Amino acid sequence: MHVPDGFINAPVSVAAGVAAAAAVAVSLRGARRELDERTAPLAGLVAAFIFAVQMLNFPVAAGTSGHLLGGALAAILVGPYTGVLCVSVVLLMQGILFADGGLTALGVNITVMGVVTVVTAHLLFRGLLRVLPPTRRSVTVAGFVAALVSVPAAAAAFTAVYAVGGTTDVPLGKVLTAMVGVHVLIGIGEALITAATVGAVIAVRPDLVHGALGLAAPLKLRVDGALVDAPAATPAPAADASGSTKKVWVTGLVTALVLAGFVSFYASANPDGLEKVAADKGIDEKVEEHAAAGSPLADYSVKDVDDARLSGGLAGVIGVGVTVVAGTGIFWAVRRRKSDELTAASTSAPVA
């Protein structure tokens, strides 16, 4: 659903850019509460994983394909504020390096694919957990539903933006119907990927899944006829936790590299949902050439590498590497800012 340059006029693109910048600023502050020493590198990995899986277009219907948006997955794994940042990092890397998603439309893409999907998924996910049993399966089920709904919600948001700033005169009712219809199908794929990924992580390290924090109710003991909280279990040694987190990180990174470097070659070549609707309804009449069209990695291929499989695979590996480095650097900086603020607060506190 990457919106290219030329779909949305300049004033609305600027307004969307301002809205996206505000959302990122709020998310930078909010992410300080979500990130710690374990989850900061995990957030960088989540961004890289989303980048990799977005290269895997899957067929849906009538010559149309879809790909993961990733907002729901990020919100569940690392929290809504960090989730917005994860998707924003991915979109920035895709726009600058791979000419995917217009640079003037970056604000539109962050707003639609990042903010709308994350907020929709987070609110629905939390609402479902309030009524479902407090189990790991409930987290997976709630993630499935939240991811499913987040995709057509993003499609509707794009249509709303296009209604205000579209560069062509097309029947908006037909655009909305087509966009939401095809993205409901894409949402099913998004839901399956999200549920499978969340289920895999929660099975081995539920403490690393933001959406599962506080899931287990405290153990109760009956003492003299009254129920009291059982003593807290002795925490695992820090070294063991660190080693386990490292294994999750390495496994996730290897998986992302394999998906982007090898599996992506077998992705569907059909246009994605937005591209198909744009071609059918005439939205793309004024599409502009991407400003980064001359990038050596444009269109997810390495310039001057003739073998298509090798070219695409190298581009995918480079993309995963750049995204995980950029994402991890940003999230570590956010985490360090939080630590510095806590240190400053503690040293300035009056001594009794």
Side-chain angles (χ1 to χ4, degrees):
M1 196 190 290
H2 295 74
V3 180
D5 295 321
F7 275 25
I8 307 299
N9 63 31
V12 174
S13 294
V14 171
V18 172
V24 169
V26 171
S27 297
L28 284 169
R29 294 186 61 86
R32 297 177 197 172
R33 301 192 298 270
E34 297 172 344
L35 295 171
D36 56 30
E37 289 79 2
R38 298 174 305 163
T39 56
L42 179 64
L45 175 62
V46 169
F49 184 80
I50 291 173
F51 174 90
V53 181
Q54 283 196 1
M55 293 182 66
L56 308 180
N57 280 47
F58 49 85
V60 286
T64 308
S65 70
H67 61 72
L68 182 81
L69 298 187
L73 177 61
I76 295 168
L77 289 180
V78 292
Y81 294 107
T82 309
V84 169
L85 297 179
C86 283
V87 179
S88 298
V89 168
V90 173
L91 292 171
L92 183 62
M93 295 299 102
Q94 291 171 331
I96 294 175
L97 298 178
F98 299 91
D100 189 9
L103 295 183
T104 62
L106 182 60
V108 175
N109 284 318
I110 290 176
T111 301
V112 171
M113 296 178 62
V115 179
V116 172
T117 58
V118 168
V119 172
T120 301
H122 176 67
L123 293 177
L124 184 53
F125 177 79
R126 284 299 174 190
L128 288 171
L129 285 188
R130 290 180 180 178
V131 298
L132 293 173
T135 64
R136 296 180 183 181
R137 178 172 295 180
S138 294
V139 173
T140 304
V141 171
F144 180 95
V145 177
L148 174 60
V149 175
S150 70
V151 177
F158 165 77
T159 306
V161 172
Y162 194 82
V164 178
T167 55
T168 57
D169 185 16
V170 297
L172 293 175
K174 293 183 178 180
V175 173
L176 177 62
T177 301
M179 283 292 293
V180 172
V182 71
H183 283 91
V184 166
L185 299 177
I186 295 172
I188 296 174
E190 177 107 8
L192 292 172
I193 295 170
T194 300
T197 305
V198 171
V201 177
I202 204 173
V204 294
R205 287 297 301 273
D207 59 307
L208 294 180
V209 179
H210 183 274
L213 296 180
L215 185 64
L219 178 64
K220 298 286 186 179
L221 296 178
R222 187 173 295 277
V223 179
D224 296 330
L227 289 176
V228 298
D229 290 340
T234 303
D240 292 343
S242 175
S244 180
T245 302
K246 184 177 180 181
K247 289 179 181 178
V248 172
W249 195 90
V250 170
T251 301
L253 180 59
V254 170
T255 301
L257 289 170
V258 170
L259 292 175
F262 177 73
V263 181
S264 62
F265 181 78
Y266 301 97
S268 173
N270 291 331
D272 69 16
L274 176 57
E275 291 172 331
K276 178 67 173 175
V277 173
D280 290 346
K281 305 302 179 183
I283 294 176
D284 59 355
E285 289 181 2
K286 296 185 179 180
V287 66
E288 300 173 3
E289 184 180 19
H290 200 286
S295 167
L297 297 173
D299 298 323
Y300 299 93
S301 60
V302 177
K303 186 178 181 181
D304 297 329
V305 176
D306 296 329
D307 184 275
R309 185 191 299 269
L310 179 60
S311 179
L314 286 174
V317 169
I318 292 171
V320 169
V322 172
T323 304
V324 75
V325 170
T328 302
I330 291 171
F331 298 126
W332 268 118
V334 172
R335 171 60 185 165
R336 181 176 292 275
R337 177 71 178 274
K338 175 183 177 181
S339 299
D340 292 345
E341 289 179 349
L342 292 176
T343 301
S346 63
T347 55
S348 63
V351 179

PDB file of all heavy atoms in Angstrom, residues 65-85:
ATOM      1  N   SER A  65      -1.999  -8.835  -5.520  1.00  0.00           N
ATOM      2  CA  SER A  65      -1.225  -9.404  -4.419  1.00  0.00           C
ATOM      3  C   SER A  65      -1.301  -8.479  -3.211  1.00  0.00           C
ATOM      4  O   SER A  65      -1.819  -7.362  -3.291  1.00  0.00           O
ATOM      5  CB  SER A  65       0.241  -9.606  -4.837  1.00  0.00           C
ATOM      6  OG  SER A  65       0.894  -8.356  -4.983  1.00  0.00           O
ATOM      7  N   GLY A  66      -0.790  -8.960  -2.110  1.00  0.00           N
ATOM      8  CA  GLY A  66      -0.737  -8.150  -0.895  1.00  0.00           C
ATOM      9  C   GLY A  66       0.535  -8.453  -0.140  1.00  0.00           C
ATOM     10  O   GLY A  66       1.225  -9.425  -0.422  1.00  0.00           O
ATOM     11  N   HIS A  67       0.844  -7.596   0.814  1.00  0.00           N
ATOM     12  CA  HIS A  67       2.003  -7.848   1.664  1.00  0.00           C
ATOM     13  C   HIS A  67       1.712  -7.340   3.071  1.00  0.00           C
ATOM     14  O   HIS A  67       0.772  -6.570   3.291  1.00  0.00           O
ATOM     15  CB  HIS A  67       3.261  -7.173   1.104  1.00  0.00           C
ATOM     16  CG  HIS A  67       3.174  -5.672   1.006  1.00  0.00           C
ATOM     17  ND1 HIS A  67       3.196  -4.839   2.101  1.00  0.00           N
ATOM     18  CD2 HIS A  67       3.042  -4.866  -0.074  1.00  0.00           C
ATOM     19  CE1 HIS A  67       3.084  -3.586   1.712  1.00  0.00           C
ATOM     20  NE2 HIS A  67       2.991  -3.574   0.390  1.00  0.00           N
ATOM     21  N   LEU A  68       2.507  -7.770   4.002  1.00  0.00           N
ATOM     22  CA  LEU A  68       2.358  -7.344   5.386  1.00  0.00           C
ATOM     23  C   LEU A  68       2.508  -5.831   5.500  1.00  0.00           C
ATOM     24  O   LEU A  68       3.385  -5.246   4.864  1.00  0.00           O
ATOM     25  CB  LEU A  68       3.422  -8.033   6.245  1.00  0.00           C
ATOM     26  CG  LEU A  68       3.399  -7.734   7.745  1.00  0.00           C
ATOM     27  CD1 LEU A  68       2.343  -8.598   8.421  1.00  0.00           C
ATOM     28  CD2 LEU A  68       4.768  -7.981   8.370  1.00  0.00           C
ATOM     29  N   LEU A  69       1.655  -5.200   6.298  1.00  0.00           N
ATOM     30  CA  LEU A  69       1.855  -3.803   6.658  1.00  0.00           C
ATOM     31  C   LEU A  69       2.687  -3.716   7.937  1.00  0.00           C
ATOM     32  O   LEU A  69       3.569  -2.885   8.056  1.00  0.00           O
ATOM     33  CB  LEU A  69       0.522  -3.082   6.831  1.00  0.00           C
ATOM     34  CG  LEU A  69      -0.377  -3.016   5.583  1.00  0.00           C
ATOM     35  CD1 LEU A  69      -1.590  -2.125   5.861  1.00  0.00           C
ATOM     36  CD2 LEU A  69       0.389  -2.503   4.380  1.00  0.00           C
ATOM     37  N   GLY A  70       2.388  -4.559   8.896  1.00  0.00           N
ATOM     38  CA  GLY A  70       3.258  -4.715  10.059  1.00  0.00           C
ATOM     39  C   GLY A  70       2.903  -3.901  11.284  1.00  0.00           C
ATOM     40  O   GLY A  70       3.513  -4.081  12.341  1.00  0.00           O
ATOM     41  N   GLY A  71       1.924  -3.008  11.182  1.00  0.00           N
ATOM     42  CA  GLY A  71       1.579  -2.184  12.332  1.00  0.00           C
ATOM     43  C   GLY A  71       1.089  -2.990  13.513  1.00  0.00           C
ATOM     44  O   GLY A  71       1.494  -2.763  14.655  1.00  0.00           O
ATOM     45  N   ALA A  72       0.204  -3.945  13.267  1.00  0.00           N
ATOM     46  CA  ALA A  72      -0.329  -4.773  14.349  1.00  0.00           C
ATOM     47  C   ALA A  72       0.770  -5.615  14.981  1.00  0.00           C
ATOM     48  O   ALA A  72       0.876  -5.719  16.209  1.00  0.00           O
ATOM     49  CB  ALA A  72      -1.452  -5.665  13.817  1.00  0.00           C
ATOM     50  N   LEU A  73       1.600  -6.218  14.154  1.00  0.00           N
ATOM     51  CA  LEU A  73       2.684  -7.060  14.661  1.00  0.00           C
ATOM     52  C   LEU A  73       3.611  -6.249  15.557  1.00  0.00           C
ATOM     53  O   LEU A  73       3.979  -6.686  16.657  1.00  0.00           O
ATOM     54  CB  LEU A  73       3.459  -7.658  13.493  1.00  0.00           C
ATOM     55  CG  LEU A  73       4.671  -8.523  13.841  1.00  0.00           C
ATOM     56  CD1 LEU A  73       4.242  -9.736  14.660  1.00  0.00           C
ATOM     57  CD2 LEU A  73       5.402  -8.954  12.579  1.00  0.00           C
ATOM     58  N   ALA A  74       4.005  -5.067  15.107  1.00  0.00           N
ATOM     59  CA  ALA A  74       4.913  -4.233  15.886  1.00  0.00           C
ATOM     60  C   ALA A  74       4.270  -3.794  17.196  1.00  0.00           C
ATOM     61  O   ALA A  74       4.919  -3.812  18.251  1.00  0.00           O
ATOM     62  CB  ALA A  74       5.345  -3.019  15.069  1.00  0.00           C
ATOM     63  N   ALA A  75       3.005  -3.389  17.149  1.00  0.00           N
ATOM     64  CA  ALA A  75       2.331  -2.921  18.362  1.00  0.00           C
ATOM     65  C   ALA A  75       2.254  -4.021  19.409  1.00  0.00           C
ATOM     66  O   ALA A  75       2.436  -3.770  20.609  1.00  0.00           O
ATOM     67  CB  ALA A  75       0.933  -2.425  18.018  1.00  0.00           C
ATOM     68  N   ILE A  76       1.990  -5.240  18.983  1.00  0.00           N
ATOM     69  CA  ILE A  76       1.853  -6.356  19.934  1.00  0.00           C
ATOM     70  C   ILE A  76       3.210  -6.761  20.495  1.00  0.00           C
ATOM     71  O   ILE A  76       3.348  -7.035  21.692  1.00  0.00           O
ATOM     72  CB  ILE A  76       1.170  -7.550  19.251  1.00  0.00           C
ATOM     73  CG1 ILE A  76      -0.262  -7.180  18.862  1.00  0.00           C
ATOM     74  CG2 ILE A  76       1.164  -8.774  20.178  1.00  0.00           C
ATOM     75  CD1 ILE A  76      -0.916  -8.181  17.932  1.00  0.00           C
ATOM     76  N   LEU A  77       4.232  -6.788  19.656  1.00  0.00           N
ATOM     77  CA  LEU A  77       5.537  -7.260  20.106  1.00  0.00           C
ATOM     78  C   LEU A  77       6.274  -6.227  20.951  1.00  0.00           C
ATOM     79  O   LEU A  77       6.887  -6.582  21.967  1.00  0.00           O
ATOM     80  CB  LEU A  77       6.400  -7.656  18.907  1.00  0.00           C
ATOM     81  CG  LEU A  77       6.005  -8.933  18.167  1.00  0.00           C
ATOM     82  CD1 LEU A  77       6.953  -9.178  17.003  1.00  0.00           C
ATOM     83  CD2 LEU A  77       6.002 -10.147  19.104  1.00  0.00           C
ATOM     84  N   VAL A  78       6.265  -4.965  20.541  1.00  0.00           N
ATOM     85  CA  VAL A  78       7.098  -3.979  21.237  1.00  0.00           C
ATOM     86  C   VAL A  78       6.327  -2.768  21.750  1.00  0.00           C
ATOM     87  O   VAL A  78       6.933  -1.861  22.325  1.00  0.00           O
ATOM     88  CB  VAL A  78       8.250  -3.505  20.315  1.00  0.00           C
ATOM     89  CG1 VAL A  78       9.222  -4.630  20.070  1.00  0.00           C
ATOM     90  CG2 VAL A  78       7.723  -2.958  18.983  1.00  0.00           C
ATOM     91  N   GLY A  79       5.017  -2.723  21.566  1.00  0.00           N
ATOM     92  CA  GLY A  79       4.221  -1.621  22.084  1.00  0.00           C
ATOM     93  C   GLY A  79       3.816  -0.641  20.995  1.00  0.00           C
ATOM     94  O   GLY A  79       4.487  -0.528  19.963  1.00  0.00           O
ATOM     95  N   PRO A  80       2.736   0.099  21.209  1.00  0.00           N
ATOM     96  CA  PRO A  80       2.207   0.973  20.149  1.00  0.00           C
ATOM     97  C   PRO A  80       3.128   2.123  19.783  1.00  0.00           C
ATOM     98  O   PRO A  80       3.268   2.461  18.593  1.00  0.00           O
ATOM     99  CB  PRO A  80       0.886   1.482  20.742  1.00  0.00           C
ATOM    100  CG  PRO A  80       1.043   1.315  22.225  1.00  0.00           C
ATOM    101  CD  PRO A  80       1.879   0.096  22.412  1.00  0.00           C
ATOM    102  N   TYR A  81       3.753   2.767  20.764  1.00  0.00           N
ATOM    103  CA  TYR A  81       4.634   3.886  20.439  1.00  0.00           C
ATOM    104  C   TYR A  81       5.861   3.404  19.667  1.00  0.00           C
ATOM    105  O   TYR A  81       6.227   3.962  18.623  1.00  0.00           O
ATOM    106  CB  TYR A  81       5.077   4.601  21.721  1.00  0.00           C
ATOM    107  CG  TYR A  81       3.955   5.279  22.460  1.00  0.00           C
ATOM    108  CD1 TYR A  81       3.459   4.757  23.654  1.00  0.00           C
ATOM    109  CD2 TYR A  81       3.387   6.454  21.967  1.00  0.00           C
ATOM    110  CE1 TYR A  81       2.429   5.378  24.338  1.00  0.00           C
ATOM    111  CE2 TYR A  81       2.351   7.083  22.648  1.00  0.00           C
ATOM    112  CZ  TYR A  81       1.867   6.544  23.828  1.00  0.00           C
ATOM    113  OH  TYR A  81       0.836   7.156  24.497  1.00  0.00           O
ATOM    114  N   THR A  82       6.489   2.351  20.171  1.00  0.00           N
ATOM    115  CA  THR A  82       7.644   1.789  19.468  1.00  0.00           C
ATOM    116  C   THR A  82       7.218   1.209  18.133  1.00  0.00           C
ATOM    117  O   THR A  82       7.984   1.239  17.163  1.00  0.00           O
ATOM    118  CB  THR A  82       8.315   0.705  20.330  1.00  0.00           C
ATOM    119  OG1 THR A  82       8.563   1.233  21.639  1.00  0.00           O
ATOM    120  CG2 THR A  82       9.628   0.245  19.720  1.00  0.00           C
ATOM    121  N   GLY A  83       5.994   0.697  18.064  1.00  0.00           N
ATOM    122  CA  GLY A  83       5.479   0.141  16.813  1.00  0.00           C
ATOM    123  C   GLY A  83       5.393   1.178  15.718  1.00  0.00           C
ATOM    124  O   GLY A  83       5.746   0.910  14.564  1.00  0.00           O
ATOM    125  N   VAL A  84       4.928   2.378  16.040  1.00  0.00           N
ATOM    126  CA  VAL A  84       4.881   3.460  15.055  1.00  0.00           C
ATOM    127  C   VAL A  84       6.287   3.768  14.548  1.00  0.00           C
ATOM    128  O   VAL A  84       6.512   3.967  13.344  1.00  0.00           O
ATOM    129  CB  VAL A  84       4.239   4.727  15.654  1.00  0.00           C
ATOM    130  CG1 VAL A  84       4.423   5.925  14.725  1.00  0.00           C
ATOM    131  CG2 VAL A  84       2.754   4.502  15.914  1.00  0.00           C
ATOM    132  N   LEU A  85       7.255   3.767  15.450  1.00  0.00           N
ATOM    133  CA  LEU A  85       8.636   4.043  15.060  1.00  0.00           C
ATOM    134  C   LEU A  85       9.189   2.934  14.174  1.00  0.00           C
ATOM    135  O   LEU A  85       9.913   3.201  13.206  1.00  0.00           O
ATOM    136  CB  LEU A  85       9.510   4.211  16.300  1.00  0.00           C
ATOM    137  CG  LEU A  85       9.153   5.378  17.222  1.00  0.00           C
ATOM    138  CD1 LEU A  85      10.090   5.405  18.425  1.00  0.00           C
ATOM    139  CD2 LEU A  85       9.202   6.707  16.477  1.00  0.00           C
TER     140      LEU A  85
END
